[in-house]
């Protein structure tokens, strides 16, 4: 069980997405998942070992590391990727439900089970809202937990058992900061894509509804 | 999810590329991605552990390492490879869009249908002309831009392509100017030069491909300008044969489509 599962899931969703949805999937695959696995994971690999405090007191380093990194950046990043990809499952389930219904009743109930109309459109829009919501929640979480997206070189720590205020040095702060900014940029891009897809679908279907009503009135 | 997935995606683009494009893809996968994964990652694997400064001052090593390596070579290469591979996706998306349109036409039972079945649409190789030419050419252009930007970033960040053995550091909290020693400098220099050389080869291949496409485009245009009206009686034998074949195929296609709807 690894990221391959997420890849398969997203490939499955690709079939039922709009054009903008497919661009979103490509951005998530290439600029978030691949960058995470190929580059980011290794930067944070030894973060605890390389976190150094100017003190010999046993336990001080552990306590300070835990205080400044309640949840590591890289774990938050992984959680964000998983949570943001999951709402697409709603669409997959709904299509499977439709196909199941057709099989059960042994007749064609829908023009095409994967066609975005009626209930499936609502599910799709809800999944877009959830995706955007999760992105924003995680960005806010990052911001609040780490006081912005900066990674300082030096942090001062005075928690027991550290005897006084002690200097602690974070490893590779610049590299971590660069990749954090990259994460924020791709998150924002994904939010923009989700919002445009949402507006596009609302616009398209309201025009469709309006035209239908107009034609009915004329008749 | 790893470089293998990228290989699958880009492999699909391979079918629709020019010969130079195919060579570029091979160079990318064998001499860059494979070397990165199999060799370079090991060389840089222990870079901070074995980066040693001549001081016992805690924190000095961390700070000096961060000062001299704001972003590690290996990460820069990984980013470069990802960015350089991405424009090929534009071509993949365009091809997928065209296929989708053809499938739609086929399903509607269009008169212009030239295919026996959906499998043939899936396996068809599109020629690089029309809007696909523009997509393909812009993807090559973006590739060139990304390669150049990353090579410049490399040169700028590391003051050239050599990895020095010794660096002198006096960032706080290092008490004075301290000697810091990089691990495996020669091996890293060798790999850096190798990656830069292969990058340059890729740039040359992209430039050659761009020139080839532009030359082809202008030659075609001048031919069209030279023959303003295509005289119907001047169709050569090959075109007549092709037209006959197309008629036969569209006839049998119509039969297949009526067969489907019955």
């Amino acid at each position: 069980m690894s990221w391959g599962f997420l890849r398969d899931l997203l490939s499955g969703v690709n079939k039922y997405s709009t054009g903008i949805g497919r661009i979103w999937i490509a951005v998530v695959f290439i600029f978030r998942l691949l960058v995470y696995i190929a580059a980011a994971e290794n930067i944070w690999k030894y973060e605890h070992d390389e976190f150094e405090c100017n003190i010999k007191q046993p336990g001080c380093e552990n306590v300070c590391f835990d205080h400044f990194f309640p949840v590591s950046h890289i774990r938050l990043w992984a959680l964000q990727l998983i949570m943001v990809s999951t709402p697409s499952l709603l669409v997959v389930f709904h299509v499977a439900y439709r196909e199941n219904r057709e099989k059960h009743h042994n007749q064609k109930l829908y023009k095409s089970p994967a066609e975005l109309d009626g209930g499936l459109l609502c599910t799709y829009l809800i999944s877009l809202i959830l995706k955007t919501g999760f992105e924003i929640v995680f960005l806010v979480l990052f911001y609040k937990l780490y006081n912005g997206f900066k990674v300082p070189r030096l942090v001062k720590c005075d928690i027991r058992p550290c005897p006084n205020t002690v200097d602690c040095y974070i490893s590779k702060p610049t590299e971590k900061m660069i990749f954090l900014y990259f994460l924020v940029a791709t998150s924002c891009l994904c939010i923009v894509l989700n919002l445009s897809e949402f507006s596009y679908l609302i616009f398209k279907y309201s025009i469709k509804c309006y035209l239908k009503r107009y034609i009915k009135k004329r008749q | 999810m790893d470089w293998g997935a990228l290989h699958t995606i880009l492999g699909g683009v391979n079918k629709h590329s020019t010969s130079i494009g195919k060579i570029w893809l091979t160079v990318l996968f064998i001499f860059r991605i494979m070397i990165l994964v199999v060799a370079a990652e090991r060389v840089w694997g222990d870079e901070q552990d074995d980066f040693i400064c001549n001081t016992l001052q805690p924190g000095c090593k961390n700070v000096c390492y961060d000062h001299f390596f704001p972003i590690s070579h290996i990460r820069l290469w990984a980013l470069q490879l990802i960015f350089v591979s991405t424009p090929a996706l534009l071509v993949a998306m365009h091809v997928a869009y065209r296929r989708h349109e053809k499938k739609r036409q086929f399903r509607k039972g269009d008169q212009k249908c030239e295919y026996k079945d959906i499998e043939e649409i899936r396996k068809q190789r599109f020629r690089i002309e029309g809007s696909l030419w523009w997509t393909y050419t812009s993807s090559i252009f973006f590739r060139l831009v990304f390669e150049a930007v990353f090579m410049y970033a490399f040169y700028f960040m590391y003051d050239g392509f050599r990895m020095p053995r010794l660096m002198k550091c006096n960032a706080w909290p290092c008490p004075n100017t301290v000697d810091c020693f990089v691990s495996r400098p020669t091996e890293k220099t060798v790999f850096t030069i190798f990656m830069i050389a292969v990058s340059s080869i890729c740039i040359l291949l992209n430039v050659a491909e761009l020139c080839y496409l532009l030359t082809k485009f202008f030659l075609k245009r001048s031919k069209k300008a030279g023959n303003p009206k295509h005289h119907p009686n001047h169709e050569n034998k090959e075109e007549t044969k092709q037209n006959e074949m197309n008629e036969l195929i569209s006839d049998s296609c119509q039969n297949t489509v009526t067969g489907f709807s019955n």
Side-chain angles (χ1 to χ4, degrees):
Chain A
M1 185 72 166
S2 69
W3 292 109
F5 176 73
L6 199 69
R7 178 192 65 190
D8 295 334
L9 162 69
L10 288 178
S11 308
V13 174
N14 203 15
K15 270 189 287 190
Y16 313 123
S17 303
T18 61
I20 305 180
R22 295 199 175 129
I23 297 175
W24 177 86
I25 290 174
V27 168
V28 168
F29 258 177
I30 310 266
F31 292 107
R32 297 177 78 177
L33 203 50
L34 188 57
V35 167
Y36 174 92
I37 292 173
E41 246 184 347
N42 291 328
I43 303 175
W44 273 269
K45 204 170 181 186
Y46 300 112
E47 55 171 341
H48 196 142
D49 290 334
E50 290 165 357
F51 181 78
E52 210 175 355
C53 290
N54 188 1
I55 185 108
K56 281 195 169 168
Q57 167 68 47
C60 179
E61 251 179 40
N62 277 9
V63 161
C64 291
F65 182 84
D66 183 62
H67 178 255
F68 288 108
F69 300 107
V71 180
S72 169
H73 296 95
I74 202 77
R75 246 73 65 189
L76 265 182
W77 192 337
L79 277 175
Q80 182 185 24
L81 277 175
I82 294 171
M83 298 300 277
V84 149
S85 313
T86 317
S88 308
L89 272 179
L90 291 173
V91 176
V92 173
F93 286 157
H94 196 143
V95 172
Y97 165 75
R98 275 190 174 186
E99 281 169 354
N100 222 14
R101 254 186 102 202
E102 274 190 346
K103 224 192 259 181
H104 194 252
H105 290 266
N106 230 351
Q107 53 174 296
K108 208 172 160 68
L109 296 166
Y110 308 99
K111 216 184 339 172
S112 146
E115 177 97 17
L116 277 183
D117 58 8
L120 189 59
L121 176 66
C122 282
T123 310
Y124 198 83
L125 290 174
I126 291 173
S127 79
L128 284 175
I129 294 172
L130 282 175
K131 275 188 232 177
T132 315
F134 283 137
E135 295 270 19
I136 295 175
V137 160
F138 273 94
L139 281 178
V140 167
L141 202 60
F142 258 110
Y143 192 84
K144 285 265 142 94
L145 265 178
Y146 297 108
N147 276 351
F149 300 112
K150 287 210 181 99
V151 181
R153 258 187 204 183
L154 160 75
V155 286
K156 291 191 186 286
C157 172
D158 62 358
I159 307 167
R160 274 196 65 206
C162 306
N164 300 300
T165 305
V166 152
D167 290 335
C168 291
Y169 302 92
I170 298 175
S171 73
K172 309 195 205 185
T174 314
E175 205 166 1
K176 287 179 182 169
M177 199 167 66
I178 292 174
F179 275 86
L180 272 182
Y181 280 131
F182 191 81
L183 178 154
V184 171
T186 47
S187 272
C188 294
L189 176 64
C190 285
I191 291 175
V192 165
L193 284 170
N194 284 334
L195 289 174
S196 1
E197 202 182 354
F198 188 82
S199 339
Y200 164 72
L201 283 170
I202 296 275
F203 181 71
K204 188 172 149 188
Y205 284 93
S206 30
I207 298 273
K208 225 187 191 179
C209 260
Y210 176 75
L211 281 174
K212 263 193 202 162
R213 248 186 245 159
Y214 183 71
I215 292 171
K216 261 192 188 165
K217 262 191 187 167
R218 281 203 111 184
Q219 287 173 353
Chain B
M1 175 70 195
D2 54 6
W3 295 109
L6 192 70
H7 172 77
T8 320
I9 298 171
L10 291 183
V13 179
N14 202 14
K15 241 195 310 189
H16 310 281
S17 305
T18 62
S19 323
I20 306 179
K22 289 179 182 158
I23 297 174
W24 175 84
L25 259 160
T26 314
V27 168
L28 183 81
F29 276 108
I30 299 191
F31 293 106
R32 296 175 82 177
I33 295 182
M34 207 170 138
I35 296 283
L36 182 87
V37 169
V38 165
E41 272 183 2
R42 306 269 159 87
V43 175
W44 268 266
D46 54 5
E47 57 177 325
Q48 193 172 343
D49 286 337
D50 287 349
F51 180 79
I52 294 184
C53 290
N54 189 2
T55 185
L56 281 177
Q57 169 66 46
C60 177
K61 184 174 109 161
N62 275 8
V63 162
C64 290
Y65 180 85
D66 182 63
H67 179 257
F68 289 114
F69 300 108
I71 176 165
S72 168
H73 291 76
I74 204 87
R75 247 80 63 188
L76 255 185
W77 280 328
L79 279 179
Q80 182 183 17
L81 286 172
I82 290 172
F83 274 88
V84 152
S85 314
T86 311
L89 281 182
L90 290 174
V91 177
M93 282 195 232
H94 194 144
V95 164
Y97 170 75
R98 268 205 187 172
R99 274 214 186 108
H100 180 74
E101 288 296 304
K102 296 246 154 125
K103 275 189 192 164
R104 219 158 45 100
Q105 269 182 4
F106 176 82
R107 281 205 187 101
K108 277 189 184 163
D110 208 336
Q111 295 284 347
K112 283 186 258 162
C113 160
E114 306 144 16
Y115 306 98
K116 289 196 189 116
D117 57 22
I118 283 213
E119 271 311 303
E120 212 175 300
I121 300 177
R122 212 171 276 161
K123 290 193 191 139
Q124 193 213 9
R125 181 185 173 250
F126 290 104
R127 293 196 64 197
I128 301 175
E129 47 198 16
S131 53
L132 188 60
W133 185 91
W134 286 102
T135 311
Y136 196 81
T137 314
S138 16
S139 82
I140 299 181
F141 177 73
F142 280 119
R143 267 188 237 162
L144 273 170
V145 166
F146 287 139
E147 292 270 20
V149 162
F150 273 95
M151 276 185 69
Y152 178 72
F154 230 95
Y155 189 82
F156 179 74
M157 257 198 263
Y158 294 107
D159 269 330
F161 301 121
R162 267 197 71 224
M163 179 71 81
R165 262 185 204 178
L166 161 73
M167 293 166 159
K168 293 196 183 281
C169 172
N170 62 359
W172 190 86
C174 304
N176 300 301
T177 304
V178 151
D179 290 336
C180 290
F181 301 90
V182 178
S183 79
R184 308 191 216 215
T186 314
E187 203 168 2
K188 287 179 181 170
T189 308
V190 166
F191 272 94
T192 306
I193 293 178
F194 179 83
M195 292 300 250
I196 297 294
V198 180
S199 256
S200 318
I201 292 174
C202 285
I203 290 180
L204 287 172
L205 284 170
N206 285 330
V207 168
E209 203 178 356
L210 203 58
C211 294
Y212 166 72
L213 284 169
L214 288 169
T215 316
K216 225 173 107 173
F217 177 73
F218 286 121
L219 277 175
K220 235 187 186 172
R221 250 193 162 181
S222 60
K223 257 193 193 165
K224 267 194 194 164
N227 307 333
K229 282 183 188 157
H230 190 70
H231 209 277
N233 293 338
H234 277 281
E235 266 182 28
N236 54 24
K237 280 189 187 167
E238 234 183 82
E239 282 188 42
T240 331
K241 245 189 185 171
Q242 188 65 43
N243 286 343
E244 280 178 8
M245 272 178 68
N246 284 348
E247 276 180 39
L248 275 171
I249 289 170
S250 72
D251 279 342
S252 66
C253 183
Q254 251 200 321
N255 290 340
T256 328
V257 168
T258 32
F260 265 134
S261 49
N262 283 349

